[in-house]
Amino acid sequence: MALAGRTAAWWARLRSPCPAAAPLCLAGWMPAAGGRWYSCRGKEKLDMSTYPVESIRNFSIIAHVDHGKSTLADRLLEITGTISKTDRNKQVLDKLQVERERGITVKAQSASLFYNHEGINYLLNLIDTPGHVDFSYEVSRSLSACQGVILVVDANEGIQAQTVANFYLAFEAQLSIIPVINKIDLKNADPERVEKQIEKLFDIPTDECIRISAKQGTNVEKVLQKVIEKIPPPQCNTADPLKALVFDSTFDHYRGVVANVALFGGEIAKGNKIVSAHTKKRYEVSEVGILTPNEQPTHKLYAGQVGYLIAGMKEVTEAQIGDTLFLYKQPVEPLPGFKSAKPMVFAGMYPVDQTEYNNLKSALERLTLNDSSVTVHRDSSLALGAGWRLGFLGLLHMEVFNQRLEQEYNMSVILTAPTVPYKAVLSSAKLIKEYGRDEITIINPAQFPDKLSVSEYLEPTVLGTIVTPHEYIGKIIALCQDRRAVQKDMLYIDENRVMLKYLFPLNEIVLDFYDALKSLSSGYASFDYEDAGYQTADLIKMDILLNGNPVEELSTIIHNDKAYAAGKLLCERLKEAIPRQLFEIAIQAAIGKKIIARETLKAYRKNVVAKCYGGDITRRMKLLKRQAESKRLMRKIGNVEVPRDAFIRVLRRETDK
Amino acid sequence: QTLCQQWPYCRKRCSYCNFNTYVVPAVDEATMRACLVREAHTLLRLSQVHSITSVFFGGGTPSLASPHTIAAVLEAVAGAAHLPTNAEVTLEANPSSTDTSRLTGFRAAGVNRLSIGVQSLDDTELRLLGREHTAAEARKAVEAAKGLFPGRTSIDLIFGLPGQSQDTWAQGLEAALGLCDDHISLYQLTLERGTALAAQVRGGTLPLPPQDLLADMYQTARTVLVAAGFRHYEVSNFARKGALSNHNLSYWRADQYIGVGPGAHGRFVPQGEGSCSREARVQTLDPVAWMREVQCQGHGTRSRVVLSPLEQLEELLTLGLRTDEGVTHERWRHFSPQLSLQAVFGVPGEARALQEQGWLLLDGSGLRCTWAGLAVLDSLLPDLLCQLQGR
């Protein structure tokens, strides 16, 4: 779930089944707050009974990427003594190497904060959310775990596309929204302008905005106070039978599955016998605790609280995200669980070497436990052997997943060209019988049915939101038209910023739309999108051939109007990505038997280093041995050797985002 | 057994050079000399070689050293091992530090072969390369050298300069043919990282010469020089009347060589320690640190790595295939008494495919590149190394 959905739909959905009889707030005594929480980890267990639901607040921080969400989270953790104050607290909740390297949050994290306000000790559960379009699905899940959000907007950049999208997610979930204008310490900060934008677009009075600098800590305390004042507590009851929602899980090599749970009713402690509503399997709880953000064991967890439990689950498949846990012999009506994340992009994944199949299989199983938004189907191909077809939330998600496989599991893989889930309405009786239905979803170009047996093809669409300074409108409209998009709305959010809404075919934005938009607007335009159903489309399958041999990784389904241009572009880029070889290479794009584009990579005519004397030999040998080594890892298509990363490189316009 | 002496100083750094060279206001030549002499002595004793067949003074710009220093080193060599009177003693020289009187001095010190860094006979090109001399000075230097070292003067030329055309190269080559003696080294410009020239090309202020043009220039040069009676005996080296560089041939034949001076590389068996394994050795790069080490311990060896039998064969293959004689059966047997060239490369596999495609030849004399294969050797070697490692 990780990428999508860390914290689930629990609280919001809970509202209905929860009886109103909430226990009285006893103004719980709290064992000396502050720095003690992190320093005593492992020594002393916390007593969570001192936090009745009235003193609990569940909230998320939502923002456009880079508007300072993670920095604000760091400050909140510091102020509440959850982590100690040092200069090193940078993106504390971004634990993954890939998150820190790319400066994005991929896997949402939650942290329990303790905060005393007007004599009452509060338990504030902060659910961090991912900051990229690809992961907006997870944002909505995180939101459904909350009763309120902090909406962070950069005082310099103002409202961006993701701000708009996130606002509506929170608004539609009927959450309390606390608008915060961040980075007021910056030279070009213009909080007044941003307040006006917020008023115009979101109808929030300007005086409700809190101006802060998360970096310097200015007014951050005020944010915490607002969280307590404006966000209502969750509604549920400790006296009810246990009802715990598994909203995330991680796999620990030593302890097995660590399930993150949210309690919708009752309480849970070590020694409790629990049952999974999904598998009906019985477990004994060996540890419960809260996340601060590291695991902190507690005696119990109570209704309204968020934490983790370990219960001897050994198999990754045992901790289904969305599952409900209850006490043995005290069954409850299971929670609705989650709709599984809807993959937008599919790609084939194969081991570089088939002997690595089983290792890759177990790495995939483990990684998908932490990222259940990835769908996995077994697949095989003549050229690439046995592998899988994976579904991702977007291209960044796919890259991040791949990077995590490399970094955390040391696996190198072959990835095929990403494709979106097309549909075909079948007309051939034979095919309808074969599939057992007359409409199929195509997630692998190899299964693209011929036009003769299809009455129509359908392609997925999205509604995209673009926010841009007005001087780029012309270029952006041209870009959108080029991407077959239809304009739905255009609105000035202040004198010089415009919000555009377009209906896009999904495949037109999956690969490089964001990069193109960024580059033509010097980085100023922002983009977000949401699912908008299917539309009919004139689709064909295009193959790429190297000296006549098809490159399975690059087969794509494409709109008829775009085939020539795309084929030409792919051939041109492949020419750049494939090193010259001892023979000439024909790079061709083909539709069926018809060649629609061709590039020729000429043979090497000279490739020999000029100087090789005594002092050059060591360096020379090192280089040659590296080349000999990488030759073993090259993908051979016919007799053409292709570096493994060449295909994914040609599919992106820029190698680095 | 050969000996290579590094003189690490230059008066000015050329725009294309990333060698271990230093431009300093004043060279402490006396100390440098003493250290070169001492290290040569130490390493010769360590290697226990009986006879030195060639000595090469490289750099840097060794022609900036005084003839006295050259003489002192040669005396040290002769003192520690046998240095036959016909041993090849080459000095690398720059046209700007080679007037007739200096050359006479070097000859008196024992130098009998000169390699002059002409690089180009066009003043614009010389400026682009950051050379100190003009074409006229280069001509003068070569004429003077030919007078003093007849039949033993070599010139270096560079082609593939940014902006250079096939025509200008052909003209430059013709001019060089009119000037040269019996040995020419022709180097395609390599844009080494960290050099001024590479930065200009990367920054876009200078054009990157197209690959096909470079290939054409190389083919032109090979054809023209062979027609003029030169033997193309190594990728970048041409000689007529048998005027090959014996010293450089020793690298490509994977003979033993001893490197002396800052940053010098060596390949020899330190028999003086009782060892029988060939080692790759590198001397300390920085001249000041190197001198300090030589003064303290007699040598400035910074790294020594024992080469495995496989690594020795890899080097032999990589270097040997650069020459027109290739890797001979005899030489291969010297490093690999058990497994013959035929057994490794004559069997079905990549190497045989390369032979069938006309890039390589394996026959009674050994394994070597064809005329076409030599130009693309670096595309052949990874496959050959893979096959060798597989055995």
Side-chain angles (χ1 to χ4, degrees):
Chain A
M1 179 93 342
L3 290 160
R6 171 52 165 235
T7 349
W10 54 53
W11 305 114
R13 274 193 198 116
L14 257 242
R15 279 179 202 150
S16 43
C18 261
L24 253 168
C25 171
L26 296 170
W29 172 85
M30 186 182 121
R36 211 174 139 195
W37 297 100
Y38 57 89
S39 61
C40 69
R41 171 167 153 72
K43 288 180 197 150
E44 199 178 311
K45 284 187 180 171
L46 298 175
D47 178 5
M48 297 302 289
S49 68
T50 55
Y51 295 97
V53 285
E54 291 81 1
S55 62
I56 297 173
R57 299 290 183 273
N58 296 309
F59 69 102
S60 273
I61 308 177
I62 53 177
H64 189 76
V65 65
D66 284 341
H67 281 197
K69 183 165 46 74
S70 298
T71 312
L72 177 58
D74 290 347
R75 287 302 91 73
L76 295 180
L77 263 53
E78 284 173 11
I79 289 179
T80 55
T82 310
I83 55 170
S84 55
K85 250 180 213 168
T86 73
D87 297 339
R88 274 164 287 140
N89 290 336
K90 287 202 173 118
Q91 297 173 270
V92 171
L93 295 182
D94 291 344
K95 289 179 185 170
L96 301 175
Q97 188 185 343
V98 36
E99 294 181 317
R100 287 165 178 247
E101 281 174 9
R102 292 179 178 237
I104 53 168
T105 305
V106 168
K107 187 172 168 67
Q109 295 284 347
S110 49
S112 296
L113 321 176
F114 302 99
Y115 185 66
N116 188 294
H117 179 58
E118 294 178 349
I120 299 173
N121 287 312
Y122 287 92
L123 171 61
L124 310 178
N125 294 312
L126 160 61
I127 293 115
D128 192 16
T129 57
H132 187 276
V133 187
D134 277 8
F135 309 118
S136 58
Y137 181 76
E138 178 163 7
V139 175
S140 61
R141 283 200 196 177
S142 297
L143 294 189
S144 58
C146 302
Q147 286 74 47
V149 295
I150 301 173
L151 176 69
V152 179
V153 187
D154 185 306
N156 181 12
E157 293 190 358
I159 288 180
Q160 297 293 322
Q162 250 178 297
T163 320
V164 179
N166 285 334
F167 169 82
Y168 282 108
L169 287 174
F171 184 76
E172 280 157 18
Q174 297 182 309
L175 304 184
S176 307
I177 295 167
I178 301 170
V180 161
I181 296 173
N182 188 24
K183 306 195 192 180
I184 55 167
D185 55 305
L186 290 186
K187 211 172 68 195
N188 294 325
D190 189 354
E192 221 157 288
R193 182 174 66 94
V194 179
E195 281 167 2
K196 282 188 193 141
Q197 289 180 349
I198 289 175
E199 184 171 42
K200 169 150 191 195
L201 219 54
F202 303 149
D203 210 16
I204 298 176
T206 49
D207 61 358
E208 280 189 30
C209 294
I210 312 174
R211 298 182 180 184
I212 69 162
S213 161
K215 193 172 155 204
Q216 297 177 349
T218 319
N219 283 341
V220 174
E221 192 105 25
K222 211 160 145 190
V223 175
L224 275 180
Q225 289 158 10
K226 279 278 185 225
V227 165
I228 290 166
E229 287 164 14
K230 279 188 70 175
I231 299 176
Q235 293 179 348
C236 51
N237 198 333
T238 300
D240 288 345
L242 171 70
K243 194 182 233 187
L245 177 75
V246 179
F247 67 89
D248 196 4
S249 56
T250 49
F251 185 82
D252 183 302
H253 285 279
Y254 302 102
R255 300 185 296 172
V257 175
V258 181
N260 291 13
V261 292
L263 268 64
F264 283 82
E267 53 181 55
I268 192 166
K270 179 180 173 177
N272 284 167
K273 300 234 175 4
I274 55 165
V275 178
S276 148
H278 180 73
T279 64
K280 309 283 184 276
K281 278 194 187 165
R282 194 156 36 123
Y283 303 93
E284 184 175 324
V285 176
S286 58
E287 184 177 325
V288 297
I290 56 170
L291 297 160
T292 64
N294 296 319
E295 289 155 14
Q296 163 82 50
T298 61
H299 289 292
K300 287 186 175 181
L301 288 174
Y302 299 90
Q305 296 178 354
V306 177
Y308 70 93
L309 72 82
I310 299 172
M313 295 177 178
K314 294 270 181 295
E315 289 292 318
V316 296
T317 49
E318 288 175 88
Q320 281 283 330
I321 290 161
D323 196 2
T324 304
L325 305 174
F326 54 84
L327 287 179
Y328 180 54
K329 288 189 174 161
Q330 294 185 46
V332 295
E333 180 73 14
L335 293 157
F338 302 125
K339 257 194 315 186
S340 44
K342 201 171 142 194
M344 301 282 229
V345 176
F346 290 85
M349 180 176 277
Y350 296 85
V352 174
D353 179 344
Q354 280 291 322
T355 59
E356 287 284 296
Y357 180 86
N358 282 325
N359 291 339
L360 181 55
K361 183 171 172 231
S362 91
L364 277 177
E365 277 171 4
R366 290 185 177 179
L367 196 49
T368 46
L369 175 75
N370 285 328
D371 185 357
S372 67
S373 55
V374 177
T375 62
V376 182
H377 299 283
R378 246 187 291 164
D379 200 358
S380 68
S381 104
L382 276 180
L384 302 170
W388 298 267
R389 185 133 287 254
L390 305 184
F392 301 97
L393 300 172
L395 196 68
L396 179 73
H397 182 202
M398 175 170 119
E399 283 176 14
V400 163
F401 187 85
N402 194 21
Q403 198 175 341
R404 289 187 68 187
L405 265 182
E406 275 176 19
Q407 286 175 348
E408 295 168 37
Y409 296 91
N410 198 24
M411 299 299 306
S412 300
V413 297
I414 296 171
L415 267 179
T416 66
T419 179
V420 300
Y422 293 105
K423 287 183 177 177
V425 180
L426 301 173
S427 59
S428 135
K430 185 167 160 268
L431 279 184
I432 294 172
K433 198 176 162 202
E434 199 181 308
Y435 284 102
R437 54 190 186 279
D438 63 358
E439 187 181 288
I440 58 166
T441 302
I442 309 150
I443 58 170
N444 185 345
Q447 288 150 7
F448 189 71
D450 191 83
K451 206 166 191 164
L452 294 173
S453 46
V454 166
S455 59
E456 65 176 352
Y457 296 108
L458 302 168
E459 65 178 344
T461 61
V462 292
L463 184 63
T465 303
I466 298 166
V467 174
T468 176
H470 63 95
E471 60 262 42
Y472 302 113
I473 290 180
K475 285 191 204 165
I476 289 173
I477 289 176
L479 174 69
C480 292
Q481 278 167 354
D482 178 53
R483 301 304 177 107
R484 299 191 284 129
V486 180
Q487 199 183 83
K488 293 288 176 190
D489 195 7
M490 180 162 156
L491 172 77
Y492 272 80
I493 60 174
D494 63 21
E495 310 82 75
N496 44 29
R497 283 191 169 266
V498 184
M499 182 174 78
L500 298 157
K501 291 214 182 237
Y502 272 90
L503 185 71
F504 288 93
L506 176 61
N507 81 319
E508 295 288 339
I509 59 158
V510 155
L511 279 180
D512 55 6
F513 178 78
Y514 189 68
D515 294 336
L517 180 72
K518 280 283 167 192
S519 77
L520 67 74
S521 67
S522 311
Y524 285 114
S526 60
F527 180 63
D528 202 335
Y529 61 82
E530 59 189 284
D531 185 9
Y534 278 79
Q535 69 184 19
T536 58
D538 182 8
L539 302 173
I540 48 166
K541 182 185 164 202
M542 181 173 77
D543 292 310
I544 298 292
L545 314 173
L546 291 181
N547 279 353
N549 297 300
V551 183
E552 197 165 327
E553 291 94 320
L554 295 180
S555 285
T556 45
I557 299 168
I558 192 165
H559 194 270
N560 204 356
D561 295 349
K562 293 286 185 112
Y564 283 84
K568 184 163 178 286
L569 190 67
L570 263 180
C571 290
E572 282 167 7
R573 288 200 202 154
L574 260 183
K575 189 180 170 185
E576 301 295 313
I578 300 177
R580 280 191 180 201
Q581 291 170 35
L582 289 170
F583 42 84
E584 187 174 285
I585 300 169
I587 304 168
Q588 296 167 309
I591 295 167
K593 291 208 163 19
K594 188 174 155 206
I595 303 295
I596 58 165
R598 173 182 171 131
E599 290 287 328
T600 304
L601 183 62
K602 284 201 252 170
Y604 250 135
R605 288 180 47 221
K606 179 169 192 294
N607 180 30
V608 61
V609 75
K611 287 195 179 191
C612 196
Y613 298 102
D616 307 310
I617 296 169
T618 303
R619 187 167 75 141
R620 187 83 206 112
M621 294 311 300
K622 250 186 210 155
L623 181 73
L624 280 171
K625 281 195 220 175
R626 212 166 40 232
Q627 286 173 355
E629 193 52 46
S630 71
K631 242 181 162 30
R632 290 181 218 274
L633 292 175
M634 291 261 194
R635 169 107 161 81
K636 269 205 141 184
I637 292 156
N639 55 353
V640 181
E641 288 175 334
V642 185
R644 264 186 318 109
D645 61 344
F647 298 134
I648 197 77
R649 283 207 329 261
V650 303
L651 294 168
R652 289 180 61 86
R653 190 155 291 165
E654 292 169 346
T655 46
D656 205 10
K657 204 218 90 185
Chain B
Q1 278 72 18
T2 64
L3 188 117
C4 177
Q5 283 271 354
Q6 292 291 324
W7 180 263
Y9 301 110
C10 287
R11 214 146 47 197
K12 172 172 184 284
R13 185 171 266 276
C14 300
S15 64
Y16 57 91
C17 174
N18 74 340
F19 282 8
N20 180 44
T21 63
Y22 300 82
V23 179
V24 294
V27 175
D28 180 358
E29 183 158 354
T31 309
M32 194 68 199
R33 178 190 312 131
C35 289
L36 285 171
V37 165
R38 177 132 185 240
E39 187 172 61
H41 196 257
T42 308
L43 296 182
L44 279 167
R45 246 196 350 220
L46 182 66
S47 73
Q48 298 206 332
V49 298
H50 302 296
S51 174
I52 291 293
T53 52
S54 71
V55 179
F56 194 97
F57 292 91
T61 313
S63 55
L64 289 175
S66 69
H68 175 41
T69 295
I70 304 298
V73 172
L74 289 173
E75 273 162 36
V77 174
H82 176 57
L83 183 64
T85 45
N86 63 351
E88 180 185 285
V89 179
T90 309
L91 178 80
E92 273 190 339
N94 266 356
S96 47
S97 52
T98 40
D99 54 66
T100 309
S101 68
R102 280 186 76 80
L103 289 182
T104 314
F106 287 129
R107 191 174 65 169
V111 171
N112 57 25
R113 186 172 178 275
L114 214 60
S115 169
I116 304 182
V118 171
Q119 316 309 4
S120 167
L121 290 170
D122 178 296
D123 286 339
T124 318
E125 290 181 358
L126 287 170
R127 272 196 298 276
L128 182 65
L129 293 168
R131 300 292 295 180
E132 271 194 313
H133 62 267
T134 61
E137 283 163 339
R139 286 177 183 283
K140 229 175 98 191
V142 175
E143 293 299 348
K146 275 175 16 187
L148 287 164
F149 305 95
R152 302 190 66 118
T153 297
S154 172
I155 61 170
D156 284 2
L157 292 177
I158 296 183
F159 71 93
L161 277 67
Q164 191 180 33
S165 71
Q166 170 79 290
D167 283 349
T168 50
W169 167 234
Q171 286 158 19
L173 194 63
E174 205 171 310
L177 263 177
L179 175 69
C180 73
D181 195 12
D182 294 330
H183 191 280
I184 298 187
S185 301
L186 280 185
Y187 301 112
Q188 180 184 314
L189 176 69
T190 309
L191 291 166
E192 298 284 0
R193 267 169 57 172
T195 61
L197 214 52
Q200 284 171 286
V201 170
R202 188 172 309 161
T205 49
L206 286 176
L208 183 69
Q211 283 202 22
D212 285 327
L213 175 62
L214 294 172
D216 288 339
M217 288 178 169
Y218 186 60
Q219 293 307 336
T220 303
R222 291 173 86 180
T223 313
V224 167
L225 287 174
V226 167
F230 282 83
R231 172 177 155 195
H232 186 190
Y233 74 101
E234 194 262 353
V235 170
S236 303
N237 285 281
F238 300 80
R240 63 184 167 198
K241 300 178 195 158
L244 285 67
S245 164
N246 289 314
H247 182 85
N248 288 338
L249 266 178
S250 73
Y251 295 130
W252 303 318
R253 287 175 173 161
D255 286 336
Q256 292 200 73
Y257 55 94
I258 298 163
V260 175
H265 286 243
R267 291 280 187 285
F268 64 89
V269 182
Q271 284 181 325
E273 289 179 348
S275 164
C276 49
S277 307
R278 184 173 165 109
E279 290 182 3
R281 287 169 162 254
V282 187
Q283 308 309 107
T284 294
L285 283 172
D286 179 68
V288 176
W290 172 83
M291 284 193 273
R292 203 166 46 233
E293 286 164 34
V294 174
Q295 283 164 341
C296 290
Q297 55 191 27
H299 66 85
T301 304
R302 180 49 65 98
S303 90
R304 38 185 297 194
V305 178
V306 172
L307 294 171
S308 70
L310 175 64
E311 287 170 317
Q312 294 180 37
L313 285 174
E314 287 170 343
E315 290 197 358
L316 174 66
L317 189 68
T318 301
L319 297 162
L321 289 180
R322 295 181 66 84
T323 64
D324 63 347
E325 64 183 14
V327 179
T328 61
H329 290 295
E330 182 198 351
R331 196 148 291 280
W332 183 266
R333 253 195 313 275
H334 177 73
F335 285 93
S336 169
Q338 313 296 332
L339 200 61
S340 69
L341 261 181
Q342 184 68 37
V344 180
F345 300 113
V347 296
E350 286 288 338
R352 199 141 105 196
L354 294 172
Q355 291 163 48
E356 283 156 11
Q357 290 157 19
W359 308 109
L360 281 175
L361 276 173
L362 177 60
D363 61 13
S365 72
L367 181 71
R368 62 189 183 279
C369 288
T370 60
W371 171 266
L374 188 68
V376 292
L377 174 60
D378 291 355
S379 290
L380 312 179
L381 283 169
D383 277 332
L384 297 178
L385 291 177
C386 275
Q387 189 157 341
L388 176 59
Q389 288 159 3
R391 289 305 307 235

